[in-house]
């Protein structure tokens, strides 16, 4: 029996095509029949498309395109018409012209796949409802036409047609299989991980916008403490509140501790009227310079912790630079002295807005930030708006919290097992996998607890891509602490160990930086200690 492949369906639904298919199936072994083969190519200088009702292939005889026309036909001054079973007349394309177009498209396609020299192609038209065929013009003759009675002797008719066209083929079994697989491909394509991640990214942005709109109710509030875990959108909301205050006519200061976050705040805010975004220590230095106060060239840790805020207080008395409102992002990084110095910059009006956004769990610096704080109200954000649901579950599990996510699906986070403390080679391998999955290098960030690992990685590269600093060329590599408050589409997190609570907090902070794709690199025991979900392929 011949090999029959139905591309649209196992069997044709049209009665005329079904008659032809049943006849072709009776061909002996070695013949291959394909039903409903679509094509696309240029016709008359323009791109066109069409389909061949059947293609018949024989490894030594060649290939035939069969066009099928059911019902009766009428030709009026060269124009073709057909009459359906209800007696209705329809204008149709010349079937011989259709068969010729399909043949030429197929020859061009074979040439592209370097098979045209191995098999020649002809065409034939079948009229399965007609007992005989009248003279219908120079484009048609008996040798390239099939009528109803001839379907009973299909091999003889096809052999005559092959001879008429002078067809031949020299196809090996492998070439025949290749040709059939090209015409009727069997393909299973899995979308790259980056595509799945990008879909999640779009939804995350939508949820964040919804949260900003919900938060607009705080417009009536003049200050307060807004608490939220990693990923709850504190920075987005802090920016929204600062911009809202500025639009309402308040000269507003948006301030944070982290240097990288400070740059990000300035970039995201731009330079609108009434709004200044900066880091706390850059503010101290700027005010001291304007007040012409001495600043040491070499600054100790104590200077940054205590003398800088004191210098800001002294500068305020001289410059009298006042703000109408202050918004503090990542307030858990501040000390009570820093908050006091900031209040020197705000007007003496008792209702002057002073907002602090903070996550108590991200208190990495232990500056006792909550001491003496008496906010007029406390607002708690409970839903993770940054991370997809799979990442949010990892973030919550790291510190034994209940997962309250936005419910967005996304790629399953990966745990890449390292033999010991993650090395440069472990990180390079993880990054290579993400690049192979289609992630853009600028969408990736590598986070490490160890500054020395950061420096070593910045001397390495992955293919044409080098490692570098955040917002520089190449793949960003930063410490977890420096990247706190920021986020990226995909994060590779190097975990040196999470035996201590501080290690768990570092993992919590690092994981939450990934919006839609997370790869953790660490030892197997660390995975258990962080309650890493078991649902991983």
């Amino acid at each position: 029996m011949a090999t029959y492949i139905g591309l649209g369906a196992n069997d044709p639904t049209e009665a005329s095509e079904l008659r032809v298919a049943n006849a072709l199936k009776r061909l002996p072994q070695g013949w291959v029949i394909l039903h409903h083969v679509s094509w696309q190519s240029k016709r008359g200088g323009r791109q066109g498309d069409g389909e061949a009702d059947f293609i018949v292939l024989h490894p030594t005889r060649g290939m035939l395109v069969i066009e099928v026309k059911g019902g009766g036909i009428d030709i009026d001054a060269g124009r073709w018409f057909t009459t359906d079973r209800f007696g209705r007349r329809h204008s149709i394309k010349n079937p011989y012209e259709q068969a010729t177009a399909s043949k030429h498209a197929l020859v061009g396609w074979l040439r592209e796949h370097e098979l045209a020299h191995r098999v020649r192609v002809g065409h034939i038209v079948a009229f399965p409802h007609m007992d005989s065929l009248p003279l219908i013009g120079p484009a048609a003759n008996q040798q390239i036409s099939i009528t109803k009675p001839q379907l009973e002797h299909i091999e003889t008719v096809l052999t005559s047609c092959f001879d008429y066209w002078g067809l031949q083929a020299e196809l090996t079994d492998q070439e025949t299989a290749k040709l059939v697989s090209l015409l009727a491909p069997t393909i299973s394509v899995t979308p790259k991980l980056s595509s799945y991640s990008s879909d999640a990214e779009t939804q995350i942005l939508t949820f964040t916008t919804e949260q900003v709109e919900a938060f607009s109710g705080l417009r009536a509030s003049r200050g307060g403490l807004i608490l939220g875990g990693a990923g709850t959108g504190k920075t987005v909301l802090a920016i929204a509140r600062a911009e809202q205050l500025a639009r309402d006519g308040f000269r507003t200061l948006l301030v944070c501790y982290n240097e990288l976050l400070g740059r990000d705040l300035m970039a995201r805010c731009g330079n609108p009227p009434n709004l200044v975004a900066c880091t706390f220590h850059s503010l101290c230095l700027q005010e001291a310079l304007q007040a012409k106060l001495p600043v040491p060239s070499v600054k100790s840790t104590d200077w940054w912790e205590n003398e800088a805020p004191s210098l800001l207080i002294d500068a305020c008395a001289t410059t009298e630079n006042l703000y109408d409102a202050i918004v503090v992002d990542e307030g858990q990084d501040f000390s009570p002295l820093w908050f006091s110095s900031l209040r020197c910059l705000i007007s003496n009006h008792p209702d002057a807005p002073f907002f602090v956004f903070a996550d108590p769990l991200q208190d990495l610096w232990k500056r006792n930030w909550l001491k003496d704080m008496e906010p007029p109200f406390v607002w708690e954000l409970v839903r993770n708006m940054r991370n997809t649901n799979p990442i949010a579950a990892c973030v919550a599990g790291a510190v034994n919290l209940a997962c309250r996510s936005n419910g967005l699906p996304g790629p399953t986070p990966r745990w890449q097992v390292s033999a010991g403390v993650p090395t440069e080679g472990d990180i390079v391998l993880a990054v290579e996998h993400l690049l192979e999955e289609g992630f853009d290098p600028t969408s990736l960030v590598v986070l490490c607890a160890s500054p020395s690992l950061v420096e070593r990685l910045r001397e390495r590269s992955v293919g044409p891509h080098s490692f570098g600093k955040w917002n520089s060329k190449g793949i960003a590599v930063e410490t977890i602490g420096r990247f706190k408050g920021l986020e990226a589409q995909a994060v590779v997190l190097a975990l040196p160990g999470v035996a201590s609570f501080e290690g768990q907090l570092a993992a919590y902070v690092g994981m939450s930086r990934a919006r839609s794709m997370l790869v953790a690199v660490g030892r197997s025991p660390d995975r258990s200690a962080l309650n890493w979900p078991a649902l991983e392929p």
Side-chain angles (χ1 to χ4, degrees), residues 233-367:
K234 296 182 301 299
T235 295
V236 173
L237 299 178
I239 293 173
R241 186 63 183 120
E243 290 177 335
Q244 189 180 73
L245 287 165
R247 288 194 298 270
D248 289 344
F250 292 85
R251 186 167 184 260
T252 304
L253 173 67
L254 174 59
V255 62
C256 68
Y257 164 66
N258 188 302
E259 179 186 1
L260 294 182
L261 178 58
R263 294 178 192 171
D264 186 64
L265 293 179
M266 288 185 280
R268 291 164 73 174
C269 291
N271 190 28
N274 295 328
L275 180 57
V276 174
C278 62
T279 66
F280 174 74
H281 285 110
S282 67
L283 176 68
C284 293
L285 293 172
Q286 176 184 321
E287 293 296 321
L289 180 63
Q290 186 172 352
K292 299 180 180 180
L293 298 176
V295 176
S297 56
V298 178
K299 304 170 185 66
S300 65
T301 301
D302 183 68
W303 190 91
W304 291 112
E305 291 289 331
N306 300 303
E307 296 184 35
S310 298
L311 201 63
L312 177 60
I313 294 173
D314 294 339
C316 289
T318 303
T319 63
E320 295 184 350
N321 289 331
L322 297 180
Y323 291 88
D324 302 313
I326 291 180
V327 177
V328 180
D329 190 25
E330 299 290 332
Q332 75 281 347
D333 294 341
F334 284 61
S335 73
L337 177 59
W338 297 10
F339 285 128
S340 296
S341 64
L342 285 175
R343 291 189 179 278
C344 293
L345 288 172
I346 205 164
S347 61
N348 293 325
H349 194 284
D351 292 331
F354 194 100
F355 288 89
V356 177
F357 292 76
D359 178 6
L361 274 178
Q362 296 189 59
D363 183 12
L364 300 182
W365 308 110
K366 307 301 180 184
R367 292 187 174 115

Side-chain angles (χ1 to χ4, degrees), residues 110-144:
L110 289 169
R111 189 177 296 116
E112 291 178 4
H113 289 85
E114 300 181 353
L115 289 169
H117 66 290
R118 306 291 288 172
V119 57
R120 297 187 62 186
V121 186
H123 68 270
I124 191 169
V125 178
F127 299 90
H129 292 113
M130 299 185 63
D131 291 323
S132 62
L133 197 66
L135 295 176
I136 51 178
N141 57 50
Q142 297 295 331
Q143 285 84 357
I144 59 172

Side-chain angles (χ1 to χ4, degrees), residues 379-396:
W379 181 296
E380 187 175 3
L381 304 169
V382 296
R383 190 170 297 280
N384 186 320
M385 304 299 291
R386 175 195 299 143
N387 312 124
T388 58
N389 194 55
I391 295 177
C394 293
V395 172

Side-chain angles (χ1 to χ4, degrees), residues 435 439-445 470 472-476 488-489:
L435 293 176
F439 285 90
D440 189 275
T442 59
S443 70
L444 306 181
V445 174
W470 172 245
S472 66
K473 292 182 179 179
I475 301 166
Q489 179 181 354

Side-chain angles (χ1 to χ4, degrees), residues 75-157:
I75 301 176
D76 186 356
R79 292 179 59 197
W80 282 69
F81 297 86
T82 186
T83 303
D84 62 24
R85 57 179 175 153
F86 300 106
R88 292 175 298 198
R89 193 168 183 251
H90 306 277
S91 175
I92 61 173
K93 294 180 180 179
N94 184 327
Y96 292 92
E97 291 180 359
Q98 287 182 277
T100 301
S102 291
K103 177 178 68 175
H104 290 162
L106 185 58
V107 169
W109 180 84
L110 289 169
R111 189 177 296 116
E112 291 178 4
H113 289 85
E114 300 181 353
L115 289 169
H117 66 290
R118 306 291 288 172
V119 57
R120 297 187 62 186
V121 186
H123 68 270
I124 191 169
V125 178
F127 299 90
H129 292 113
M130 299 185 63
D131 291 323
S132 62
L133 197 66
L135 295 176
I136 51 178
N141 57 50
Q142 297 295 331
Q143 285 84 357
I144 59 172
S145 305
I146 304 176
T147 57
K148 178 181 176 181
Q150 291 175 306
L151 291 176
E152 299 298 322
H153 314 283
I154 190 66
E155 186 176 8
T156 301
V157 174

Side-chain angles (χ1 to χ4, degrees), residues 144-191:
I144 59 172
S145 305
I146 304 176
T147 57
K148 178 181 176 181
Q150 291 175 306
L151 291 176
E152 299 298 322
H153 314 283
I154 190 66
E155 186 176 8
T156 301
V157 174
L158 294 183
T159 299
S160 175
C161 186
F162 278 112
D163 292 340
Y164 173 82
W165 288 115
L167 304 183
Q168 62 181 6
E170 297 178 6
L171 295 172
T172 65
D173 290 344
Q174 291 78 10
E175 288 172 328
T176 302
K178 174 184 176 182
L179 181 51
V180 171
S181 68
L182 288 170
L183 289 168
T186 299
I187 301 173
S188 177
V189 179
T190 302

